[in-house]
Amino acid sequence: MGSVQIVTTILAAGITAVAVWLAVRAVMKMTAVIRLGQPAPERFADKGARTRKMLVETAGHTRMLKWGVVGAAHWFVMVGFIVLSLLVLEAYFEVATTDGGLPIIGHWTIFGLVTEIIGVLGLVGILVLMAIRLRNRPTRPGGRSRFTGSTMWQGYFVEWIVLLVLIFGFVIRGFKVATDHFEFPFWATPVSHAVGAVLPDWADGVSVAAAIKIIISMTWLIVISLNVTMGVAWHRFLAFPNIFFKRDPEKPAGSGLGPLRPMTSQGKPLDFEEADPEKDQFGVAQVEQFTWKGLLDFSTCTECGRCQSQCPAWNTGKPLSPKLLVLSLRDHAYAKAPYLLAGGGKDLTGEEKATQAQLAHLDVLSLAEGDKPLIGTAEEGGVIDPDVLWSCTTCGACVEQCPVDIEHVDHIVDMRRYQVLIESSFPSEAGVMLRNLENKGNPWGAPQNTREDWTKGLDFEVPRVGEVDDFEYLFWVGCAGAFEDRAKKTTRAVATLLNEAGVSFAILGEGETCSGDPARRIGNEFVFQMLAQQNVETLNEAFEGREKAKRKIVATCPHCFNTLGNEYGQLGGEFEVVHHTQLLAHLVSTGKLTPVQPVDGGVTYHDPCYLGRHNRVFAAPREVLGDAIEGEITEMPRNSERSFCCGAGGARMWMEEKIGKRINVDRVEEAMATGAKTVAVGCPFCSTMLNDGVNGKGAGEQVEVIDVASVLLRSVKPEQPRGDKESAPVAG
């Protein structure tokens, strides 16, 4: 060992010791912060399924590859980071001797070939990612970037570190080639040999280059260890557990789509009959009241901005960015951590839990962070502004796009729950809707005895449950389908088609009440459970004696479809729920309904969020439309899982849109740009919002917004009138 090797070995050992010590300290701090969260025992179930899903999502990059070029480039960089870590380890042997290498495998030709290929592809991948970040930098002209609000220096730092580590990997090999110490043949390592051809025959070059590679790698570890909120770096470790502990590993899409998490206190579902606000947690009022999985979510965020790029609120000038919301919660959690770890925090009555002695050693900033309200305006020092919280439509685009399975919607609704149930703080116009739900059983406040008025004028009898001995499907009409004039046309169309196809069905009539979706999404879990329990009892009675497979419900509203099928099971209601487009597609494919006259003028289809993204029903409505028009529908640029929200979800249907551009107008402009004369929908809320948008654009005579069922009915029974212009909803 020469003098150069002695120096490089000492340098490598010294910086590694510092980096490892800081990394251990950082991991302990992060673990302590995450453990501050509330219990979530359900996250430990189905370990086999969780392991499989984690391996598929990470090794297969299934979520990243939804953005093809970015996903492929990131896969090569990820594989490079994992596999080429062996070359970083090898560098510790190379600093000590010019012909050093990994024991056993370090001299295998296959090892040289694989690491060469991965090194080259890793270089290409990181250069692509760097170019994409530069092209989408927030300061670029021409629009908002998905990186707006991200900590850009951290992204650049990580990318340059990866690039330099890869480059110095080839430099080390090049010096080995130049000094005739390289063990791999040219055919297996052509790039290394090419680098060696231009490097000098410097005997100490291997050790110096290896030392530089180690210094670069350990500098990265030191920097991220001093920045525990540096998600762009830490996600490469935290993504694995975050995906493993996702809410539902069997879901084909985002774990946080479909049903919401039940309200819990100390890890147990909240029983409203026994709950005490002074002892039980109602929603989230403090960052430590999120579950530990929530705090892990915040820590894992990569700041990639995919969620932000797809968010309808962000894209129409609202203050909500799912990414910035998560980053605000993350930064607040870590800033508040010293106060919490010292024993501080407020109990459920708002009293300080720590003694003066426990808090005496804390700095002023930590104490100030502990006093911040979680929800509050800038003047109030709040972490999350109320306008951010109430801008969410719960469309799930953020959850769908997140490559590390962060459950944004659950966290937003948890914060809403506390604001509604404890603070009674929510947009005033939504109060009318909630009172109507409590008093009338529907958000419009229409009289219950008018629930069956939509049946008037039909040329066949609509049977009621209890009036017929048997039926195959219970037709869940829904509040919109019963009371809102546009939606009543869809209800009549579906009933007519079912009757035409010979499907036996029955309705609950006045026995039906609101599914509770708007109450639950706005955060009023109490009203949701009141309505849901009433409906579950009614439905269980209607299906008494039937096994689940024969407890069939067809619903025209995706919000009812989602709630009945995905959430009523939490309350003892197990049903087989289908959307009307699924049933109609089946009836057409089996020949029970036959389109006879194509609908002309061109048709585009708007995917409802709670039908498509939340429940993966994309094909059925398109199949129905394809049969009705005898051709291809004209797709909007944002369709299927990337469909753009109409703006009505998350109880936004009953809240004024006062900030930025109206979401429904943005969507209508996209629909009109296709040139289609008919915009088909599969949701009454979408119908209302898009109709209002079309009329707002003064295009009511040129473009018609109607349900898929109405399109099919016109094709099956061409004598059906095309319908007059829809009138306003029933007044409350």
Side-chain angles (χ1 to χ4, degrees):
M1 180 183 289
S3 58
V4 171
Q5 284 71 39
I6 293 173
V7 171
T8 54
T9 301
I10 292 172
L11 282 174
I15 194 169
T16 301
V18 172
V20 169
W21 177 74
L22 289 173
V24 170
R25 190 182 69 165
V27 170
M28 291 176 65
K29 179 177 181 179
M30 296 175 77
T31 303
V33 171
I34 292 167
R35 286 170 61 89
L36 288 169
Q38 300 303 302
E42 72 280 2
R43 304 284 181 169
F44 294 92
D46 303 320
K47 291 185 175 65
R50 293 180 181 280
T51 302
R52 288 192 299 274
K53 179 61 72 172
M54 183 265 290
L55 292 174
V56 167
E57 283 196 19
T58 52
H61 252 43
T62 52
R63 296 173 71 77
M64 284 294 298
L65 286 170
K66 290 177 181 178
W67 292 26
V69 174
V70 178
H74 190 276
W75 187 85
F76 289 125
V77 172
M78 179 200 73
V79 172
F81 176 81
I82 295 171
V83 175
L84 300 183
S85 295
L86 291 173
L87 296 187
V88 176
L89 177 60
E90 187 175 49
Y92 285 94
F93 295 91
E94 292 164 337
V95 295
T97 174
T98 56
D99 61 351
L102 278 178
I104 306 175
I105 66 171
H107 302 285
W108 293 355
T109 300
I110 188 65
F111 175 74
L113 173 64
V114 169
T115 51
E116 184 90 353
I117 293 171
I118 292 174
V120 171
L121 294 176
L123 272 172
V124 173
I126 196 62
L127 289 171
V128 168
L129 294 181
M130 293 173 81
I132 290 171
R133 187 177 294 273
L134 286 170
R135 190 183 67 194
N136 290 282
R137 65 192 184 281
T139 55
R140 86 196 196 290
R144 306 176 99 178
S145 164
R146 66 186 176 97
F147 291 118
T148 299
S150 298
T151 315
M152 293 301 288
W153 76 262
Q154 294 180 353
Y156 293 137
F157 171 78
V158 168
E159 287 167 347
W160 273 101
I161 288 289
V162 172
L163 179 64
L164 290 172
V165 167
L166 289 168
I167 288 173
F168 272 90
F170 284 108
V171 171
I172 294 169
R173 287 186 163 189
F175 273 120
K176 284 186 174 183
V177 171
T179 57
D180 201 24
H181 289 118
F182 200 46
E183 56 270 79
F184 305 124
F186 179 86
W187 67 265
T189 54
V191 176
S192 297
H193 279 270
V195 173
V198 299
L199 290 177
D201 181 2
W202 180 27
D204 296 325
V206 173
S207 296
V208 172
I212 294 173
K213 181 175 181 177
I214 290 170
I215 289 169
I216 292 171
S217 300
M218 293 304 108
T219 298
W220 173 80
L221 188 55
I222 288 170
V223 170
I224 73 167
S225 297
L226 295 174
N227 293 273
V228 291
T229 58
M230 195 171 175
V232 70
W234 282 107
H235 83 273
R236 62 188 59 197
F237 306 113
L238 297 178
F240 297 97
N242 207 56
I243 294 170
F244 180 87
F245 288 116
K246 63 160 63 181
R247 176 148 59 89
D248 186 350
E250 300 291 358
K251 269 188 175 292
S255 174
L257 294 173
L260 287 171
R261 279 185 71 250
M263 273 185 70
T264 59
S265 181
Q266 293 300 313
K268 299 177 181 178
L270 198 65
D271 183 345
F272 278 96
E273 293 184 1
E274 301 178 0
D276 181 351
E278 294 189 2
K279 297 178 181 178
D280 295 300
Q281 181 180 315
F282 280 61
V284 170
Q286 304 290 336
V287 72
E288 65 272 19
Q289 291 177 350
F290 287 105
T291 66
W292 61 261
K293 174 57 169 63
L295 296 177
L296 179 59
D297 270 359
F298 309 152
S299 302
T300 309
C301 179
T302 72
E303 304 190 25
C304 67
R306 287 188 177 208
C307 57
Q308 183 170 287
S309 72
Q310 304 296 303
C311 177
W314 176 261
N315 277 287
T316 53
K318 316 292 189 293
L320 168 64
S321 155
K323 177 188 72 179
L324 297 180
L325 179 139
V326 166
L327 297 187
S328 296
L329 293 171
R330 178 198 68 189
D331 293 344
H332 173 57
Y334 280 88
K336 189 178 181 181
Y339 162 71
L340 295 172
L341 293 170
K346 306 293 192 296
D347 63 21
L348 295 173
T349 64
E351 295 296 320
E352 175 60 58
K353 293 188 287 187
T355 64
Q356 287 294 325
Q358 287 176 296
L359 304 179
H361 68 285
L362 294 179
D363 61 56
V364 175
L365 293 178
S366 295
L367 290 171
E369 203 72 31
D371 288 332
K372 278 187 177 181
L374 190 65
I375 307 298
T377 62
E379 293 75 17
E380 295 166 335
V383 178
I384 304 297
D385 191 277
D387 284 335
V388 170
L389 186 68
W390 297 110
S391 291
C392 180
T393 66
T394 69
C395 71
C398 49
V399 179
E400 168 75 41
Q401 287 297 323
C402 183
V404 292
D405 279 304
I406 293 172
E407 296 161 7
H408 311 73
V409 173
D410 282 342
H411 304 319
I412 288 171
V413 173
D414 272 341
M415 290 186 284
R416 286 182 171 188
R417 284 165 168 168
Y418 180 83
Q419 294 300 304
V420 172
L421 294 171
I422 301 300
E423 297 291 336
S424 295
S425 176
F426 51 88
S428 57
E429 60 269 24
V432 176
M433 177 268 292
L434 289 173
R435 286 193 295 274
N436 285 337
L437 287 177
E438 287 191 75
N439 300 326
K440 299 288 188 177
N442 69 85
W444 284 281
Q448 184 71 356
N449 61 10
T450 62
R451 265 197 184 269
E452 299 178 39
D453 284 1
W454 65 269
T455 63
K456 294 176 180 177
L458 292 174
D459 56 7
F460 58 91
E461 189 71 22
V462 176
R464 281 95 181 144
V465 171
E467 297 177 359
V468 290
D469 294 332
D470 194 22
F471 55 89
E472 184 178 3
Y473 285 94
L474 188 149
F475 182 14
W476 182 272
V477 176
C479 299
F483 300 122
E484 204 270 333
D485 287 341
R486 298 182 187 96
K488 282 196 283 188
K489 294 177 181 178
T490 301
T491 308
R492 292 165 63 89
V494 171
T496 301
L497 288 166
L498 294 182
N499 181 70
E500 183 80 9
V503 176
S504 62
F505 69 96
I507 62 172
L508 290 172
E510 294 184 27
E512 182 181 304
T513 191
C514 180
S515 68
D517 165 85
R520 189 168 225 197
R521 265 70 196 167
I522 203 173
N524 197 325
E525 186 75 4
F526 177 78
V527 170
F528 164 73
Q529 294 217 12
M530 177 186 73
L531 295 168
Q533 287 171 352
Q534 179 180 337
N535 282 326
V536 167
E537 185 177 335
T538 301
L539 290 168
N540 282 340
E541 184 178 336
F543 289 121
E544 189 173 4
R546 296 194 193 188
E547 59 189 39
K548 181 181 177 181
K550 295 183 178 179
R551 295 157 69 92
K552 297 180 181 179
I553 298 175
V554 57
T556 58
C557 174
H559 297 265
C560 296
F561 165 68
N562 178 69
T563 303
L564 271 64
N566 293 328
E567 298 185 333
Y568 276 16
Q570 299 169 2
L571 301 170
E574 297 289 341
F575 313 108
E576 289 292 329
V577 187
V578 298
H579 188 252
H580 71 285
T581 59
Q582 293 175 298
L583 181 54
L584 294 178
H586 171 72
L587 295 174
V588 172
S589 68
T590 55
K592 294 182 179 179
L593 288 175
T594 305
V596 295
Q597 180 173 308
V599 176
D600 57 10
V603 175
T604 190
Y605 174 63
H606 164 78
D607 288 273
C609 299
Y610 274 84
L611 180 64
R613 193 157 38 237
H614 278 278
N615 285 283
R616 322 310 293 172
V617 179
F618 301 119
R622 288 174 167 81
E623 290 168 4
V624 173
L625 292 172
D627 289 323
I629 66 176
E630 288 190 352
E632 296 291 325
I633 66 173
T634 306
E635 293 282 10
M636 287 181 259
R638 294 177 290 193
N639 65 77
S640 301
E641 62 189 21
R642 290 199 193 182
S643 180
F644 196 69
C645 183
C646 74
R652 289 292 321 174
M653 179 83 171
W654 291 274
M655 294 183 242
E656 289 296 324
E657 197 169 347
K658 302 174 183 176
I659 304 172
K661 183 179 182 180
R662 295 184 69 86
I663 294 173
N664 62 331
V665 171
D666 192 295
R667 186 56 165 168
V668 160
E669 289 173 352
E670 186 174 6
M672 291 174 61
T674 66
K677 300 302 181 186
T678 300
V679 180
V681 297
C683 171
F685 292 175
C686 295
S687 176
T688 296
M689 299 299 284
L690 297 188
N691 262 298
D692 289 351
V694 166
N695 293 332
K697 299 290 291 184
E701 297 299 323
Q702 294 81 42
V703 178
E704 184 180 23
V705 180
I706 57 171
D707 192 87
V708 170
S710 296
V711 176
L712 179 62
L713 183 60
R714 289 177 184 175
S715 181
V716 171
K717 301 182 73 172
E719 72 277 6
Q720 289 290 316
R722 289 189 62 84
D724 50 3
K725 288 298 169 184
E726 290 84 350
S727 54
V730 176

